[in-house]
Amino acid sequence: MAGTLYLVATPIGNLQDVTHRALEVLRTVDLIACEDTRHTLKLLNHFRISNRLISYHEHNELERAEELADRLVAGASIAIVSDAGTPGICDPAFRIVQRAIEVGATVVPIPGAVAFINAVIASGISTDSIFFGGFLPSKKGDRRKRLEEIRDIPATLVLYETPHRIAKSLVDCFEVLGDRRAAVARELTKLHEETARGRLSELAERYGKESVKGEIVLVIERAALVEPKRETPTPRSISKRVKELEKEGVDGKTALKKAAKEFGLSKSEAYRFLELSK
Ligand code: SAM
C-alpha cells in the first residue's frame, strides 16, 4: 500500500505557533522534505526532534517529486515543510502533491500559519470574499497589467510583497486600482510586527519616504460598485426624473433619453411610462 504525504504548516516567525500535531508528525515520519535544511533544523532542534531531512525546492522540484513518489509507492511516510508557513502557498509542494495523488498515496494537510490569512483578519478590511494573488510581477509593466486584470474582482485583494518593492507596488496599486483602503502587514508574529492602515495614496507616500525591512503582506479593499443602485422604473419615478432634468434646463426629448438610460430602459419604454404617469 502506498504511504502518506503530510503537508505540515510551520510558524511564520514565532516558533510558539507550531501545533502539537505538526511536531508529532515531524517526529514520527520516515523522512522530512524541506526547502532549506539549515532553516528546518533550527525548528527541529528547538523542539528536540531528530529526523532525516532531504532538501526540496523550486530548482530540484521535478526530480525530487519523482524520488519522493517512489518512496511513497514503497509505503514511506513523508512530511513536506517550507521555510515558513504552509507548504504550497507561494512555496514548493504542488508538484509532489500531484505526483503523490497519481501514485495513490494519501495526502494529509496539517494546518497552521499562513501569512496572508493573518494579514487579512487584522487589516480591518472585509473578510467576506478574499482573492489571494501571491506575488505581483517584479517588472513595472507586468505588474500594472496584472493589477488591471485583478482590478474588478469583487473581493478583498491580498498580495505578497518584498521590502524593496513595496513602495513602487503601492504607487502602481494607487494608480491602477484607485485610492482604496489598504493595509501593509509586516513581520507578522515577529518582534517588529506592524500593520499600517490607510488609503493607498497615504501608504504609497509613507513607504516612498521610509525604507522597511522584513516580510510583507498587502491587503486592499475590493473595487467600489461603480453603478449606483438603480431605482425601480415606475411611471411616477420616470416622470419625476424627467421633470427634475427639465428644471435643470434640459430639453424634454433629451431629458427623456437621459432618464431612460439612468433607469436602464429603452427610450420607447420610458416614453410609455411617462404617458402612463399622466
Ligand atoms: N508559505 C508561506 C505562507 O504560508 O504564507 C509564504 C511563503 S512566501 C515564499 C514568503 C512571503 O510570505 C513573504 O515574502 C511575505 O510576503 C509573506 N510572509 C511570510 N511570513 C510573513 C510574516 N511573518 N509577515 C508578513 N508576511 C509574511
Side-chain angles (χ1 to χ4, degrees):
M1 217 178 115
T4 303
L5 180 73
Y6 295 95
L7 300 160
V8 182
T10 58
I12 54 169
N14 189 326
L15 291 185
Q16 298 306 313
D17 293 332
V18 76
T19 68
H20 289 290
R21 195 164 165 229
L23 295 178
E24 184 60 24
V25 169
L26 294 177
R27 207 171 269 128
T28 53
V29 285
D30 298 319
L31 180 69
I32 301 171
C34 58
E35 278 189 90
D36 180 342
T37 49
R38 282 164 310 177
H39 196 99
T40 300
L41 265 176
K42 279 188 200 152
L43 176 81
L44 297 185
N45 290 341
H46 184 86
F47 291 102
R48 299 183 200 292
I49 293 173
S50 120
N51 206 336
R52 286 181 61 203
L53 294 180
I54 182 175
S55 76
Y56 172 75
H57 44 72
E58 54 179 328
H59 304 297
N60 68 3
E61 198 174 344
L62 279 180
E63 57 195 80
R64 276 289 196 257
E66 289 313 313
E67 207 178 312
L68 295 173
D70 289 346
R71 290 178 192 248
L72 287 168
V73 169
S77 59
I78 301 175
I80 298 259
V81 296
S82 58
D83 280 351
T86 297
I89 303 297
C90 285
D91 271 335
F94 178 62
R95 178 68 58 187
I96 173 68
V97 170
Q98 274 189 326
R99 284 297 291 136
I101 294 166
E102 280 163 15
V103 299
T106 308
V107 177
V108 179
I110 306 294
V114 186
F116 82 84
I117 293 290
N118 290 286
V120 181
I121 60 171
S123 68
I125 295 172
S126 171
T127 53
D128 286 353
S129 185
I130 299 164
F131 171 81
F132 173 59
F135 287 97
L136 285 173
S138 54
K139 288 192 185 143
K140 188 181 175 77
D142 296 342
R143 188 162 61 231
R144 291 176 79 105
K145 194 164 162 244
R146 176 77 179 128
L147 286 169
E148 273 157 22
E149 283 165 8
I150 65 173
R151 181 175 51 203
D152 297 322
I153 293 175
T156 294
L157 308 178
V158 192
L159 302 160
Y160 280 171
E161 258 311 335
T162 61
H164 66 276
R165 248 184 2 224
I166 183 69
K168 288 181 197 151
S169 289
L170 282 165
V171 171
D172 289 336
C173 287
F174 167 50
E175 287 176 6
V176 177
L177 307 176
D179 206 8
R180 302 187 193 180
R181 288 192 310 133
V184 174
R186 199 167 60 82
E187 294 288 82
L188 290 166
T189 79
K190 301 186 200 176
L191 188 62
H192 299 292
E193 172 170 351
E194 166 193 58
T195 299
R197 302 174 183 85
R199 295 271 160 194
L200 280 169
S201 59
E202 293 162 349
L203 293 167
E205 195 185 342
R206 172 177 167 178
Y207 289 98
K209 287 182 194 149
E210 190 184 311
S211 73
V212 283
K213 288 191 179 137
E215 302 194 275
I216 294 173
V217 185
L218 174 57
V219 183
I220 305 168
E221 78 176 339
R222 60 171 286 181
L225 290 174
V226 203
E227 298 231 348
K229 202 167 173 281
R230 277 193 188 128
E231 206 182 323
T232 315
T234 61
R236 207 185 135 107
S237 59
I238 298 285
S239 153
K240 188 171 156 239
R241 184 64 186 134
V242 169
K243 278 182 193 146
E244 277 171 8
L245 288 164
E246 284 175 337
K247 256 193 204 161
E248 286 168 25
V250 181
D251 69 85
K253 222 169 139 187
T254 313
L256 182 68
K257 210 168 137 191
K258 229 173 156 204
K261 196 167 175 212
E262 287 175 5
F263 282 86
L265 299 174
S266 68
K267 226 171 91 186
S268 58
E269 283 171 320
Y271 182 72
R272 213 175 52 243
F273 276 31
L274 195 63
E275 286 303 298
L276 283 171
S277 73
K278 288 179 181 163

PDB file of all heavy atoms in Angstrom, residues 169-186:
ATOM      1  N   SER A 169       5.196  49.199  -5.687  1.00  0.00           N
ATOM      2  CA  SER A 169       3.928  48.484  -5.875  1.00  0.00           C
ATOM      3  C   SER A 169       2.749  49.305  -5.362  1.00  0.00           C
ATOM      4  O   SER A 169       1.680  49.314  -5.974  1.00  0.00           O
ATOM      5  CB  SER A 169       3.948  47.138  -5.154  1.00  0.00           C
ATOM      6  OG  SER A 169       4.804  46.275  -5.828  1.00  0.00           O
ATOM      7  N   LEU A 170       2.952  50.000  -4.235  1.00  0.00           N
ATOM      8  CA  LEU A 170       1.861  50.812  -3.684  1.00  0.00           C
ATOM      9  C   LEU A 170       1.491  51.942  -4.650  1.00  0.00           C
ATOM     10  O   LEU A 170       0.305  52.245  -4.831  1.00  0.00           O
ATOM     11  CB  LEU A 170       2.253  51.379  -2.316  1.00  0.00           C
ATOM     12  CG  LEU A 170       2.163  50.387  -1.152  1.00  0.00           C
ATOM     13  CD1 LEU A 170       2.899  50.913   0.074  1.00  0.00           C
ATOM     14  CD2 LEU A 170       0.713  50.066  -0.798  1.00  0.00           C
ATOM     15  N   VAL A 171       2.490  52.538  -5.296  1.00  0.00           N
ATOM     16  CA  VAL A 171       2.205  53.597  -6.276  1.00  0.00           C
ATOM     17  C   VAL A 171       1.402  53.002  -7.437  1.00  0.00           C
ATOM     18  O   VAL A 171       0.372  53.557  -7.864  1.00  0.00           O
ATOM     19  CB  VAL A 171       3.527  54.237  -6.791  1.00  0.00           C
ATOM     20  CG1 VAL A 171       3.256  55.159  -7.960  1.00  0.00           C
ATOM     21  CG2 VAL A 171       4.220  54.991  -5.664  1.00  0.00           C
ATOM     22  N   ASP A 172       1.837  51.843  -7.944  1.00  0.00           N
ATOM     23  CA  ASP A 172       1.104  51.209  -9.051  1.00  0.00           C
ATOM     24  C   ASP A 172      -0.318  50.828  -8.625  1.00  0.00           C
ATOM     25  O   ASP A 172      -1.264  51.003  -9.384  1.00  0.00           O
ATOM     26  CB  ASP A 172       1.855  49.970  -9.545  1.00  0.00           C
ATOM     27  CG  ASP A 172       3.123  50.348 -10.297  1.00  0.00           C
ATOM     28  OD1 ASP A 172       3.178  51.482 -10.812  1.00  0.00           O
ATOM     29  OD2 ASP A 172       4.048  49.531 -10.361  1.00  0.00           O
ATOM     30  N   CYS A 173      -0.447  50.312  -7.398  1.00  0.00           N
ATOM     31  CA  CYS A 173      -1.787  49.927  -6.910  1.00  0.00           C
ATOM     32  C   CYS A 173      -2.685  51.168  -6.873  1.00  0.00           C
ATOM     33  O   CYS A 173      -3.831  51.128  -7.322  1.00  0.00           O
ATOM     34  CB  CYS A 173      -1.701  49.309  -5.518  1.00  0.00           C
ATOM     35  SG  CYS A 173      -1.005  47.664  -5.520  1.00  0.00           S
ATOM     36  N   PHE A 174      -2.154  52.274  -6.349  1.00  0.00           N
ATOM     37  CA  PHE A 174      -2.934  53.512  -6.250  1.00  0.00           C
ATOM     38  C   PHE A 174      -3.359  53.965  -7.652  1.00  0.00           C
ATOM     39  O   PHE A 174      -4.524  54.291  -7.884  1.00  0.00           O
ATOM     40  CB  PHE A 174      -2.093  54.575  -5.525  1.00  0.00           C
ATOM     41  CG  PHE A 174      -2.630  55.964  -5.630  1.00  0.00           C
ATOM     42  CD1 PHE A 174      -3.961  56.238  -5.351  1.00  0.00           C
ATOM     43  CD2 PHE A 174      -1.810  57.016  -6.006  1.00  0.00           C
ATOM     44  CE1 PHE A 174      -4.469  57.532  -5.447  1.00  0.00           C
ATOM     45  CE2 PHE A 174      -2.303  58.304  -6.111  1.00  0.00           C
ATOM     46  CZ  PHE A 174      -3.638  58.564  -5.837  1.00  0.00           C
ATOM     47  N   GLU A 175      -2.403  53.954  -8.589  1.00  0.00           N
ATOM     48  CA  GLU A 175      -2.715  54.473  -9.928  1.00  0.00           C
ATOM     49  C   GLU A 175      -3.668  53.560 -10.700  1.00  0.00           C
ATOM     50  O   GLU A 175      -4.511  54.035 -11.446  1.00  0.00           O
ATOM     51  CB  GLU A 175      -1.419  54.709 -10.704  1.00  0.00           C
ATOM     52  CG  GLU A 175      -0.700  55.940 -10.150  1.00  0.00           C
ATOM     53  CD  GLU A 175       0.642  56.205 -10.799  1.00  0.00           C
ATOM     54  OE1 GLU A 175       1.001  55.508 -11.770  1.00  0.00           O
ATOM     55  OE2 GLU A 175       1.336  57.103 -10.299  1.00  0.00           O
ATOM     56  N   VAL A 176      -3.536  52.253 -10.513  1.00  0.00           N
ATOM     57  CA  VAL A 176      -4.378  51.337 -11.297  1.00  0.00           C
ATOM     58  C   VAL A 176      -5.712  51.035 -10.589  1.00  0.00           C
ATOM     59  O   VAL A 176      -6.756  50.942 -11.235  1.00  0.00           O
ATOM     60  CB  VAL A 176      -3.613  50.012 -11.594  1.00  0.00           C
ATOM     61  CG1 VAL A 176      -4.506  49.029 -12.329  1.00  0.00           C
ATOM     62  CG2 VAL A 176      -2.349  50.297 -12.392  1.00  0.00           C
ATOM     63  N   LEU A 177      -5.669  50.909  -9.259  1.00  0.00           N
ATOM     64  CA  LEU A 177      -6.884  50.480  -8.547  1.00  0.00           C
ATOM     65  C   LEU A 177      -7.692  51.640  -7.974  1.00  0.00           C
ATOM     66  O   LEU A 177      -8.837  51.468  -7.586  1.00  0.00           O
ATOM     67  CB  LEU A 177      -6.513  49.528  -7.391  1.00  0.00           C
ATOM     68  CG  LEU A 177      -5.650  48.309  -7.740  1.00  0.00           C
ATOM     69  CD1 LEU A 177      -5.295  47.532  -6.486  1.00  0.00           C
ATOM     70  CD2 LEU A 177      -6.397  47.390  -8.710  1.00  0.00           C
ATOM     71  N   GLY A 178      -7.069  52.831  -7.901  1.00  0.00           N
ATOM     72  CA  GLY A 178      -7.753  53.966  -7.274  1.00  0.00           C
ATOM     73  C   GLY A 178      -7.386  54.032  -5.804  1.00  0.00           C
ATOM     74  O   GLY A 178      -6.692  53.146  -5.284  1.00  0.00           O
ATOM     75  N   ASP A 179      -7.896  55.073  -5.141  1.00  0.00           N
ATOM     76  CA  ASP A 179      -7.448  55.304  -3.765  1.00  0.00           C
ATOM     77  C   ASP A 179      -8.250  54.481  -2.751  1.00  0.00           C
ATOM     78  O   ASP A 179      -8.971  55.023  -1.912  1.00  0.00           O
ATOM     79  CB  ASP A 179      -7.508  56.803  -3.452  1.00  0.00           C
ATOM     80  CG  ASP A 179      -6.522  57.168  -2.362  1.00  0.00           C
ATOM     81  OD1 ASP A 179      -5.717  56.290  -1.979  1.00  0.00           O
ATOM     82  OD2 ASP A 179      -6.548  58.316  -1.894  1.00  0.00           O
ATOM     83  N   ARG A 180      -8.063  53.188  -2.798  1.00  0.00           N
ATOM     84  CA  ARG A 180      -8.821  52.299  -1.900  1.00  0.00           C
ATOM     85  C   ARG A 180      -8.171  52.227  -0.522  1.00  0.00           C
ATOM     86  O   ARG A 180      -6.989  52.544  -0.365  1.00  0.00           O
ATOM     87  CB  ARG A 180      -8.827  50.875  -2.480  1.00  0.00           C
ATOM     88  CG  ARG A 180      -9.425  50.804  -3.860  1.00  0.00           C
ATOM     89  CD  ARG A 180      -9.548  49.359  -4.289  1.00  0.00           C
ATOM     90  NE  ARG A 180      -9.835  49.271  -5.706  1.00  0.00           N
ATOM     91  CZ  ARG A 180      -9.986  48.137  -6.359  1.00  0.00           C
ATOM     92  NH1 ARG A 180      -9.885  46.985  -5.731  1.00  0.00           N
ATOM     93  NH2 ARG A 180     -10.252  48.124  -7.639  1.00  0.00           N
ATOM     94  N   ARG A 181      -8.941  51.723   0.445  1.00  0.00           N
ATOM     95  CA  ARG A 181      -8.369  51.468   1.764  1.00  0.00           C
ATOM     96  C   ARG A 181      -7.451  50.256   1.655  1.00  0.00           C
ATOM     97  O   ARG A 181      -7.726  49.337   0.872  1.00  0.00           O
ATOM     98  CB  ARG A 181      -9.469  51.171   2.780  1.00  0.00           C
ATOM     99  CG  ARG A 181     -10.277  52.407   3.146  1.00  0.00           C
ATOM    100  CD  ARG A 181     -11.149  52.166   4.359  1.00  0.00           C
ATOM    101  NE  ARG A 181     -11.930  50.952   4.209  1.00  0.00           N
ATOM    102  CZ  ARG A 181     -12.046  50.028   5.162  1.00  0.00           C
ATOM    103  NH1 ARG A 181     -11.447  50.167   6.322  1.00  0.00           N
ATOM    104  NH2 ARG A 181     -12.789  48.944   4.974  1.00  0.00           N
ATOM    105  N   ALA A 182      -6.381  50.245   2.434  1.00  0.00           N
ATOM    106  CA  ALA A 182      -5.428  49.135   2.341  1.00  0.00           C
ATOM    107  C   ALA A 182      -4.701  48.962   3.669  1.00  0.00           C
ATOM    108  O   ALA A 182      -4.818  49.799   4.571  1.00  0.00           O
ATOM    109  CB  ALA A 182      -4.424  49.420   1.226  1.00  0.00           C
ATOM    110  N   ALA A 183      -3.980  47.849   3.777  1.00  0.00           N
ATOM    111  CA  ALA A 183      -3.146  47.610   4.963  1.00  0.00           C
ATOM    112  C   ALA A 183      -1.854  46.934   4.531  1.00  0.00           C
ATOM    113  O   ALA A 183      -1.862  46.075   3.651  1.00  0.00           O
ATOM    114  CB  ALA A 183      -3.903  46.738   5.965  1.00  0.00           C
ATOM    115  N   VAL A 184      -0.772  47.364   5.153  1.00  0.00           N
ATOM    116  CA  VAL A 184       0.528  46.730   4.915  1.00  0.00           C
ATOM    117  C   VAL A 184       0.895  46.011   6.213  1.00  0.00           C
ATOM    118  O   VAL A 184       1.167  46.647   7.230  1.00  0.00           O
ATOM    119  CB  VAL A 184       1.603  47.783   4.552  1.00  0.00           C
ATOM    120  CG1 VAL A 184       2.983  47.139   4.440  1.00  0.00           C
ATOM    121  CG2 VAL A 184       1.245  48.493   3.253  1.00  0.00           C
ATOM    122  N   ALA A 185       0.866  44.681   6.177  1.00  0.00           N
ATOM    123  CA  ALA A 185       1.189  43.885   7.370  1.00  0.00           C
ATOM    124  C   ALA A 185       2.627  43.393   7.236  1.00  0.00           C
ATOM    125  O   ALA A 185       2.974  42.770   6.239  1.00  0.00           O
ATOM    126  CB  ALA A 185       0.236  42.708   7.495  1.00  0.00           C
ATOM    127  N   ARG A 186       3.430  43.716   8.228  1.00  0.00           N
ATOM    128  CA  ARG A 186       4.865  43.427   8.130  1.00  0.00           C
ATOM    129  C   ARG A 186       5.321  42.629   9.356  1.00  0.00           C
ATOM    130  O   ARG A 186       4.885  42.876  10.472  1.00  0.00           O
ATOM    131  CB  ARG A 186       5.614  44.767   8.057  1.00  0.00           C
ATOM    132  CG  ARG A 186       7.015  44.691   7.514  1.00  0.00           C
ATOM    133  CD  ARG A 186       7.518  46.082   7.197  1.00  0.00           C
ATOM    134  NE  ARG A 186       7.540  46.942   8.363  1.00  0.00           N
ATOM    135  CZ  ARG A 186       8.524  46.938   9.267  1.00  0.00           C
ATOM    136  NH1 ARG A 186       9.550  46.149   9.139  1.00  0.00           N
ATOM    137  NH2 ARG A 186       8.453  47.747  10.311  1.00  0.00           N
TER     138      ARG A 186
END
